[in-house]
Amino acid sequence: MIETDVFIAGGGIAGLLAALTFGADGKNVTCADPKAIVDDSEDPLADQRTTAYLQPAQTLMEELDLWDVIAPWAMGLQVMRLADAGGDDGALREVVDFDAAEISDLPFGWNIANWRMRRTLASAISARPNITFLSGVYVKSVLTRSTEARITLSDGLQITTPLLIGADGRDSFVREAVGINAKTTRYGQKALVFTVTHSERHQNISTEIHQSGGPFTLVPLPDFEGRPASSVVWMDFASECTRRMSLSRQDFAAEATGRSGHALGALELVSDRQVWPIITREASHLKAERTALMAEAAHVIPPIGAQGLNMSVADILALREAAHAHTLGSASMLTQYASARAADIAFRIRGIDALNRAAMTRSPNLQALRLKGLQTLHGVKPIRRMAMQTGLGAQT
């Protein structure tokens, strides 16, 4: 039997970042995840996705002495460019830029490969004696009582803790074990995720092109073998994504170049392609006895506007603040956490859901409304500034 101040189920990026945050506060932390840490992008298990870490996430990493380690592989996102590509013909009807310089001296955020960030976090944990990361195991059972949670892992190890944090993903075992329901919305979409090089410099501009089926997003990366590079998230109807996965690399790159509107010139595929289902999932509650849900165990949204992981950072900061104010894992701590996060999570879920539905519509009338909305969002300065500040994490 192991006793620990905090047990975190789930060692993805959010779970490891939470472990380091509580560890920095002097807590003894144990974190478990079934997936091993990957050392390079060529590993078949490597997560080829990238994540844009907005300013609050970068600030937290600076506090945890992580930023200087990961910064060489981070690419700043100075401008968020939104383009409306009309209907199925793909013609660009409107292109607008949101420049971070209008509201900040810093970029909106920094784009970093998921496999590299997870490796960096795991390495930092290995240097901290009060944090234990258990790889290759998962939570098999949970029993909560008024004073503690008791967890049994898949290898038989038993753990007691005053605070159990469920950060074990969209199909969270912890969420189910403590009796919290989740509502799921399906869109009939998937996302193709891959990395490309291109002939034109990205100039630290993240470009999101909206067209029927979903947005096509080019997010800047550091150069790859001397050539400008970007990560791509290509959302579309599931049947189209399945078809494109069967294309040759050359044919796929040609189709991706066309869908990009040649924004950065010809695209060359330099990674494997991965496909991910697109859903929205929202937990009915963020807390149960001795338990807090965070990250994708609490909220899953389509990859639009760089909100997903950054909502998880807001969860971590709210958990830390509640732990400072109350006894660890107590009802009052968990109530403060849930109260601090519930409204903002609901607001962002509704907003991203609406943006996704607007992006994927085939209706000419709704496409015209989408175009008008984009023009208004950018053209009215107070609305534009508010949108940028909200996107960075300003509480709603």
Side-chain angles (χ1 to χ4, degrees):
M1 180 78 71
I2 293 177
E3 296 182 0
T4 187
D5 295 328
V6 181
F7 179 80
I8 301 171
I13 292 172
L16 296 179
L17 196 54
L20 286 162
T21 300
F22 276 96
D25 279 351
K27 302 294 190 294
N28 291 316
V29 182
T30 303
C31 178
D33 192 272
K35 293 182 180 179
I37 301 299
V38 169
D39 285 330
D40 65 71
S41 63
E42 300 301 319
D43 191 307
L45 298 178
D47 184 349
Q48 298 293 346
R49 294 173 297 176
T50 64
T51 295
Y53 294 82
L54 302 182
Q55 290 179 17
Q58 189 264 350
T59 298
L60 177 60
M61 285 189 280
E62 281 195 334
E63 292 177 10
L64 299 174
D65 295 326
L66 295 169
W67 185 246
D68 287 346
V69 179
I70 198 64
W73 291 279
M75 179 54 64
L77 308 177
Q78 183 64 34
V79 173
M80 298 294 191
R81 175 170 291 167
L82 298 183
D84 189 287
D88 293 329
D89 63 355
L92 293 181
R93 301 184 297 175
E94 187 81 10
V95 178
V96 299
D97 287 348
F98 296 83
D99 192 333
E102 187 172 347
I103 61 170
S104 174
D105 294 331
L106 296 173
F108 286 115
W110 295 261
N111 196 35
I112 305 171
N114 282 7
W115 71 266
R116 191 181 294 279
M117 176 58 81
R118 189 165 183 257
R119 187 184 70 176
T120 299
L121 296 174
S123 178
I125 282 173
S126 68
R128 289 161 168 78
N130 62 325
I131 309 176
T132 301
F133 177 54
L134 305 173
S135 178
V137 294
Y138 57 88
V139 176
K140 188 175 181 180
S141 69
V142 173
L143 174 66
T144 63
R145 297 180 175 178
S146 60
T147 57
E148 65 184 13
R150 294 189 175 185
I151 299 103
T152 301
L153 301 182
S154 56
D155 63 355
L157 183 65
Q158 294 185 324
I159 296 169
T160 62
T161 182
L163 176 60
L164 165 61
I165 297 177
D168 50 339
R170 58 182 61 190
D171 298 318
S172 170
F173 176 84
V174 169
R175 184 182 65 224
E176 182 177 345
V178 298
I180 297 176
N181 297 321
K183 177 184 176 181
T184 301
T185 302
R186 303 186 188 278
Y187 303 95
Q189 289 172 297
K190 292 183 178 181
L192 295 169
V193 180
F194 51 97
T195 300
V196 296
T197 57
H198 34 80
S199 55
E200 303 295 327
R201 308 298 304 184
H202 52 59
Q203 299 181 53
N204 298 95
I205 299 173
S206 178
T207 303
E208 189 172 283
I209 305 168
H210 291 253
Q211 188 183 17
S212 298
F216 181 102
T217 306
L218 291 148
V219 190
L221 283 173
D223 286 359
F224 177 84
E225 297 182 351
R227 298 195 65 204
S230 295
S231 60
V232 179
V233 179
W234 187 355
M235 292 170 57
D236 207 340
F237 298 109
S239 58
E240 280 297 288
C241 291
T242 299
R243 178 186 66 80
R244 292 184 184 115
M245 285 292 288
S246 68
L247 296 175
S248 68
R249 291 175 70 90
Q250 184 176 358
D251 289 345
F252 180 86
E255 194 163 321
T257 298
R259 178 62 180 83
S260 73
H262 298 265
L264 296 174
L267 305 181
E268 180 181 343
L269 186 64
V270 293
S271 75
D272 290 334
R273 290 162 280 180
Q274 294 182 341
V275 61
W276 297 83
I278 299 299
I279 64 170
T280 291
R281 182 166 290 164
E282 181 178 10
S284 59
H285 299 87
L286 298 176
K287 66 181 180 71
E289 186 177 57
R290 290 288 163 183
T291 306
L293 298 184
M294 60 162 283
E296 287 200 338
H299 42 75
V300 180
I301 57 174
I304 296 174
Q307 293 301 295
L309 190 278
N310 295 284
M311 289 171 65
S312 303
V313 170
D315 296 342
I316 294 169
L317 296 176
L319 276 168
R320 181 177 68 177
E321 184 174 348
H324 288 170
H326 302 276
T327 301
L328 199 62
S330 64
S332 57
M333 178 205 157
L334 296 170
T335 296
Q336 177 176 319
Y337 165 66
S339 297
R341 293 296 299 133
D344 186 66
I345 289 171
F347 170 81
R348 294 178 192 276
I349 285 176
R350 304 299 173 264
I352 296 298
D353 175 80
L355 287 172
N356 189 39
R357 293 182 187 278
M360 66 189 292
T361 183
R362 285 173 167 160
S363 165
N365 291 336
L366 292 177
Q367 288 172 3
L369 184 62
R370 180 181 69 200
L371 176 60
K372 184 64 176 177
L374 179 60
Q375 292 168 337
T376 301
L377 181 66
H378 183 264
V380 181
K381 184 174 181 179
I383 296 177
R384 182 174 69 248
R385 291 175 64 89
M386 182 178 68
M388 290 191 285
Q389 289 164 345
T390 300
L392 280 178
Q395 292 295 298
T396 55

